Structures are given as C-alpha cells and as structure tokens.
Amino acid sequence: MYTLYGYPKTRSVRVAWALEELGLPYDYQLIDLRQGQHLSDAFRALSPAAKIPILITPEGALSESAAIVTYLAERHGMHEFIPEPGSFARAKYEEMLVFLVAELEQPIWNIAKHTFALPEDKRIAEMRDVAAWEFTRAMKTFSILLGDKSFVCGDMFTMADVIAGHILAWAKGSKLSHSYDNVHAYTEKVLARPAYTKAWQGEADKLPK
Ligand SMILES: N[C@@H](CCC(=O)N[C@@H](CS)C(=O)NCC(=O)O)C(=O)O
C-alpha cells in the first residue's frame, strides 16, 4: 500500500486526487507544516527538500507532485489516465504538464512566497504585481492550449487534469481572476469530480480536531 505524506490545502491534494481517481487505498501521514514537522531529520530523510507531497512506494520515496501522479497513472491507469509512453499523445501530455508547473503555477506560487511563504526579510511586495501580470499571460496561453477540448489532453481525463485542476483551484483561492469562458467551464467540470472532493476532504479530516 502507498503512503502519502501531506497536509491539507497544499500540493499533496494532487497525489491524493490521483490515488482516488485510480481507486487505490493509501495510508495518509499528516506532516504539520505549521508545527515545522517537515523540518525534522526523520522527514528530511524521505524528502531532502523538506517538502510535501512525498509518496512512499514499494521501491522508495518519490517527490514532485507531477512526477508522482505520472508514476501512479503509468502503474495503475495506462490508457485511462495517461497516454502510452512514446506516443505523440504522451508527448502532448508531457508538454502540458511542464507548461502547468513551469508557467501557470509559478506566478501563483510567487504570490504565495512573497505574501507568506518566504521568511519575512526575503519577501518583496512588488513581486506580487509582477506575478499577477505573469499569471495573466500564462492563463491566456492555457486558454489557447485548452481550446474547445473536454480535457487538457483531449477527450480523456488524464493526470495533467489533476495538476491543472489544482492550479486553477489555487488561483481562485488566491483571488487571481481571468475572463476565459472555456477555462471557467473546464475548472467547474474538473473540480466537480468526486475523486477531488474525496481527496481534499480526506486530507482535511486528518487535521487534529
Ligand atoms: N514542486 C514541488 C513543490 C512542493 C512544495 O513546495 N510543497 C510545499 C507545500 S505545497 C511545501 O512542502 N512547503 C514547505 C516549505 O517550503 O517549507 C511539487 O510539486 O511537489
């Protein structure tokens, strides 16, 4: 059985969402970021960057949410949640995944970093305007890439939609708006998936009462 190390309202929901989509049972270990549990030696042994999510697999620990959901789909959801390696469809999946984490996510992450995530003396208030501008630019590209497709890779829901869905939910939570109707409709559709609700609800339920 897999073990997911995570914390609610973080990128670990991506991995929980992927596990739920695939119908895989998993153990969930809460790493309380507020209490600095991610900085412990025990956790650093699994995650040298001291970051979540971490997935413990039969072969070892895996980090980076986009890599983890891709691994899970390859092992348990080939042709259903991910195109075949070596195919052009798979290349488009990789293209989308890299665009999502390198271009669409970064401005949102930068806003978070320069609002609360970085140590106070490393935050630059002006970065937030720059990041909002970058987000607008990346969102325009995303809207063009999505076009009138049902999902980011076409008719099939893939793990790239898990990453995209989480980024779009994060953008909404960060009050970053846009006016692309296709993106609004897509966001509503992917975030309505029962596996997403199970994932974030499951993480929230793990918080001490
Ligand atoms: N690129 C990594 C980012 C991981 C990451 O930054 N995780 C955050 C939570 S969303 C974290 O653990 N932050 C703790 C810290 O930076 O101290 C991924 O997608 O998995």
Side-chain angles (χ1 to χ4, degrees), residues 10-11 14 33 38-39 50-53 64-66 105 109:
T10 71
R11 294 173 182 89
R14 299 171 177 179
L33 298 180
H38 57 305
L39 304 174
K51 285 178 185 250
I52 50 167
E64 290 299 336
S65 55
E105 172 180 317
W109 182 215

Side-chain angles (χ1 to χ4, degrees), residues 154-165:
D155 292 337
M156 181 170 87
F157 177 92
T158 68
M159 292 304 172
D161 295 295
V162 165
I163 301 297

Side-chain angles (χ1 to χ4, degrees), residues 1-15:
M1 179 149 67
Y2 292 109
T3 299
L4 171 60
Y5 285 81
Y7 190 73
K9 296 190 177 174
T10 71
R11 294 173 182 89
S12 60
V13 76
R14 299 171 177 179
V15 180

